[in-house]
Amino acid sequence: MTRDVYPPSEDSFLLRDAALDEARPDDRALEVGTGSGVVAEALADETRRVVATDVNLAAVRAARDRGVPAVRTDLVAALDASFDLVVFNPPYLPSSDETPDDGIARAVGGGETGREVAERFLDEVPRVLAPEGRVLLVASSLSGIEEFEENEGFDAERVASDRYFFEELVVLRLTQ
Ligand SMILES: C[S@@+](CC[C@H](N)C(=O)[O-])C[C@H]1O[C@@H](n2cnc3c(N)ncnc32)[C@H](O)[C@@H]1O
């Protein structure tokens, strides 16, 4: 894996384990922002089909190296399909720029509030979500968790959480 790709980390494993608990054998699954592909690769064994996206070409290549079909696109823009399960560990640290050029900066920087990429994702994901579809989204206390729970488009439930030093990470299960 190149240094330009977000390495599997605590948040990756928190999402991976929550995704494995949530996955059903008939699910058509999508991982947005796949990075190394570690989450999507695990989902491939537990679902009917998995597809991944990332805006970073090096990440798309890393996921493909794990056997995950991956597309380079912004969030879900290039997809024209319906998914039962969509998972996303978004960039969630407050940053001065939502779209810096550097791959790692783009993996962690979520704009001024830290929630900008994830909020845009929540606006766009309904287009590719099946009627009974479920979304798993990682959120951090460093940029706000309640704000996602109060999103009017979704019902939210905390399905996993962990504490790392001064940060709480949660996985939210969102349904429409
Ligand atoms: C925190 S990393 C998570 C990577 C991987 N899913 C994991 O859990 O280890 C966020 C990922 O989202 C990708 N990303 C950032 N903005 C994106 C966007 N607008 N569309 C698609 N992917 C994006 C980054 O390139 C990065 O790979």
Side-chain angles (χ1 to χ4, degrees):
M1 197 186 315
T2 77
R3 287 191 299 118
D4 297 335
V5 177
Y6 188 80
S9 308
E10 289 91 346
D11 50 358
S12 321
F13 297 123
L14 189 68
L15 178 61
R16 181 195 62 185
D17 293 349
L20 291 178
D21 285 346
E22 179 64 36
R24 302 171 188 163
D26 274 352
D27 278 344
R28 296 158 295 178
L30 166 66
E31 184 184 16
V32 174
T34 194
S36 67
V38 67
V39 177
E41 182 184 37
L43 271 176
D45 293 336
E46 304 297 327
T47 57
R48 183 174 8 153
R49 178 152 195 259
V50 66
V51 173
T53 73
D54 205 292
V55 75
N56 176 357
L57 183 58
V60 168
R61 290 190 175 130
R64 287 180 185 158
D65 286 347
R66 290 179 186 262
V68 174
V71 182
R72 184 185 194 189
T73 187
D74 179 47
L75 299 175
V76 299
L79 300 178
D80 186 15
S82 199
F83 297 93
D84 307 293
L85 177 62
V86 181
V87 307
F88 189 22
N89 176 15
Y92 53 71
L93 295 183
S95 63
S96 56
D97 182 359
E98 185 199 322
T99 55
D101 292 336
D102 172 79
I104 289 295
R106 196 157 187 178
V108 299
E112 204 170 313
T113 63
R115 298 188 303 277
E116 290 173 19
V117 179
E119 284 171 348
R120 214 158 48 76
F121 163 77
L122 291 182
D123 287 343
E124 296 177 21
V125 71
R127 187 179 64 75
V128 296
L129 199 58
E132 303 291 315
R134 301 99 67 206
V135 173
L136 296 182
L137 178 70
V138 176
S140 163
S141 57
L142 297 179
S143 50
I145 298 169
E146 292 82 6
E147 287 83 350
F148 293 113
E149 295 176 306
E150 289 161 7
N151 185 300
E152 290 181 358
F154 296 90
D155 293 326
E157 178 190 356
R158 296 186 185 205
V159 292
S161 66
D162 221 334
R163 267 190 185 280
Y164 306 98
F165 302 102
F166 299 106
E167 179 181 21
E168 182 183 19
L169 280 177
V170 307
V171 179
L172 296 173
R173 180 181 190 271
L174 304 166
T175 50
Q176 287 189 297

